[in-house]
Each structure stands twice: as C-alpha cells, then as structure tokens.
C-alpha cells in the first residue's frame, strides 16, 4: 500500500506542475489576441473611452451579473455592435432566449469574432472577442439551437444595440 501511495505521489507531482503550467498562461493566450492596428489602444486610452463596467468586461474579461442587462430581453429587429469599436457582431435574427440571463445568439456575423481557449474555470472554455478591437464579449458553447448548435453567451455591457 505504501508503495502504491508513493507511486501515486510520484505521478501527482509532475501532474500538478503540468496543471500549474497550463492554468497559468492566461496572459499568454490573451497576448495572442491581435487587434487591428487602429484599435490597438493602450489600457489608459480604453479606460478613457469606456465606462468602468464596460472596461471590466471588454478589456479585463469580466462577466456581468446574470439577468442584469436590458439587452437580455431585447426582441426588436436590429444589429448588436461591439461596445468597444462599434463593429457589427450579431444580428437579431440569431438571438434566442437561452434562459441563462445573458444575451444569447446561435451565430455571429461572418468574421466578426475570434476565439481563444481560456482556463479561468479550470475546465477549458472557448472565449470569443471582437475581431477588430479584441474586446472580450463572452464564451461560446456547443449546446445551442439549430442550425449551428452554438450558443454565444454574451455580456450585454459589451454590446450596443441598433434597432433597424
Ligand atoms: Zn470591437
């Protein structure tokens, strides 16, 4: 038994080291986000441009409280734009009520968002952000409705809605 335990410990230590390594590189992944040149603003420039709440979501990958955004219940036709740079990200045609308390979409406008893997909750999740300014929008899951089966779970504070 003690031999078994020591073998387990032997395996555990390198595993922990590995986990520490994969849990750490949030900043490494974040640095892979490549905003377009005109939108490569400094932290201070973004702070001037955005409200405190929007800065926390868009630039620090924050998450707003569920059911806190009026956009959660927005049902008019129109387009949801990035609150950072105004790029159109989602059409109201792809919005659905996911019951999660965050504005949800089953597809994004072509080329509007890019993804990266994040390990914030240990289980890897797919983060997505505006392809133009790199602003964090939310996470995309594979439990959405047809035709895509995707669920883009978006922070309302990261979006601006323009009714058509
Ligand atoms: Zn943007």
């Amino acid at each position: 038994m003690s031999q078994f335990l020591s073998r387990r410990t032997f395996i555990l230590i390198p595993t922990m080291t590995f986990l520490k390594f994969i849990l750490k590189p949030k900043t490494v992944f974040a640095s892979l986000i490549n905003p377009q040149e005109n939108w490569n603003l400094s932290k201070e420039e973004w702070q001037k441009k955005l409200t405190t709440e929007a800065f926390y979501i868009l630039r620090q990958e924050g998450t707003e409280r569920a059911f806190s955004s009026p956009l959660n219940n927005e049902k008019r036709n129109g387009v949801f734009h990035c609150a950072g740079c105004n790029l159109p990200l989602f059409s109201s045609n792809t919005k659905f009520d996911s019951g999660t308390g965050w504005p949800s979409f089953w597809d994004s406008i072509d080329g509007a968002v890019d993804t990266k893997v994040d390990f914030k909750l240990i289980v890897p999740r797919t983060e997505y952000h505006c392809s133009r300014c790199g602003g964090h929008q939310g996470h995309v899951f594979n439990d959405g409705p047809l035709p895509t089966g995707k669920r883009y779970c978006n922070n309302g504070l990261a979006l601006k809605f323009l009714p058509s």
Side-chain angles (χ1 to χ4, degrees), residues 42 56-57 69 78-79 84 111 147 152:
S42 69
Y56 167 65
I57 308 285
S69 170
V79 177
Y152 288 84

Side-chain angles (χ1 to χ4, degrees), residues 36 39 79-90 109-113 129-133 137 158-160:
Q36 284 178 20
W39 289 99
V79 177
F80 295 82
H81 294 244
C82 172
C85 74
N86 215 22
L87 184 72
L89 304 181
F90 298 98
I109 291 172
D110 268 356
V113 302
H129 48 271
C130 170
S131 65
R132 183 157 72 179
C133 73
Q137 294 291 326
L159 295 171
K160 232 182 346 197

Side-chain angles (χ1 to χ4, degrees), residues 36-126:
Q36 284 178 20
E37 212 175 308
N38 294 345
W39 289 99
N40 203 359
L41 309 184
S42 69
K43 186 183 159 196
E44 289 70 29
E45 286 171 312
W46 278 119
Q47 271 172 324
K48 260 185 240 161
K49 219 174 139 56
L50 302 169
T51 63
T52 311
E53 293 79 13
F55 177 82
Y56 167 65
I57 308 285
L58 286 161
R59 309 312 310 179
Q60 299 185 306
E61 291 192 25
T63 302
E64 72 197 12
R65 229 166 6 90
F67 299 101
S68 63
S69 170
L71 291 187
N72 199 37
N73 294 318
E74 180 58 67
K75 290 187 170 66
R76 287 173 292 172
N77 288 333
V79 177
F80 295 82
H81 294 244
C82 172
C85 74
N86 215 22
L87 184 72
L89 304 181
F90 298 98
S91 155
S92 59
N93 296 334
T94 61
K95 193 172 189 287
F96 71 101
D97 186 2
S98 64
T100 57
W102 288 282
S104 302
F105 306 87
W106 49 259
D107 204 2
S108 61
I109 291 172
D110 268 356
V113 302
D114 289 328
T115 61
K116 74 177 169 69
V117 177
D118 99 26
F119 293 92
K120 265 191 178 174
L121 296 183
I122 301 183
V123 180
R125 291 181 303 173
T126 305

